[in-house]
Amino acid sequence: MEKNNYFEALLHLLHVIVYADGVFDEDEANAILYICKKNSISDEYYNDFNKRAESIAERELYITGIDLIHSCTIEEQLRIFVWLYKIAEVDGKIHVKEVRFLLYSIRQADIEFAQVENEAKKTPSIRI
């Protein structure tokens, strides 16, 4: 299966953020499926990613995700961070580790948080 840098960056960083608070619940699982659908990521692609991710440490997932994001366009990078922002709020409470992860990741990509926040306001909440 051919890898897509945008899909890979998005999935790597989604995986890290949903586990940041130590709990991966059903709402977050459904939110990822929603995000996959909105981004035309097939079930096959997502399932393949999950199999690969099982054997990868969280730190390695993060580093790989940040490396991949640098190969994406600015628009794709912004879209990824908007999805991360949206998934952080899906369980109704944003955990401090999710906030730190999001802010640190945005800084690594050299994007302004205000840009992400403005785009997130224009993006409907994740419906699950």
Side-chain angles (χ1 to χ4, degrees):
M1 176 175 297
E2 185 175 331
K3 303 289 183 281
N4 174 309
N5 286 341
Y6 170 75
F7 290 174
E8 290 293 308
L10 177 61
L11 292 173
H12 276 76
L13 297 176
L14 280 171
H15 191 84
V16 175
I17 200 168
V18 296
Y19 283 101
D21 63 0
V23 178
F24 180 56
D25 64 28
E26 188 176 340
D27 286 345
E28 290 170 323
N30 289 332
I32 289 177
L33 294 175
Y34 175 86
I35 292 168
C36 286
K37 182 178 177 185
K38 289 292 188 184
N39 286 277
S40 301
I41 299 173
S42 70
D43 291 342
E44 179 186 13
Y45 196 102
Y46 178 61
N47 292 333
D48 176 66
F49 170 80
N50 280 333
K51 286 180 188 149
R52 290 183 284 120
E54 286 175 4
S55 62
I56 302 172
E58 180 182 338
R59 179 154 175 73
E60 189 177 334
L61 281 167
Y62 174 76
I63 291 168
T64 302
I66 292 298
D67 286 347
L68 286 163
I69 211 166
H70 290 294
S71 65
C72 295
T73 66
I74 296 298
E75 293 80 16
E76 289 172 332
Q77 290 178 22
L78 189 55
R79 201 171 334 132
I80 287 168
F81 287 116
V82 167
W83 285 121
L84 294 174
Y85 184 99
K86 290 295 187 178
I87 202 162
E89 64 185 16
V90 88
D91 61 3
K93 52 192 176 293
I94 300 177
H95 194 277
V96 68
K97 286 184 177 181
E98 293 170 332
V99 172
R100 268 191 293 219
F101 165 77
L102 192 55
L103 291 174
Y104 185 75
S105 300
I106 289 169
R107 195 173 319 124
Q108 292 297 311
D110 203 27
I111 289 180
E112 296 293 323
F113 181 74
Q115 287 178 280
V116 175
E117 198 172 30
N118 289 336
E119 284 302 311
K121 287 176 185 174
K122 297 178 202 172
T123 305
S125 293
I126 295 174
R127 291 186 282 300
I128 47 175

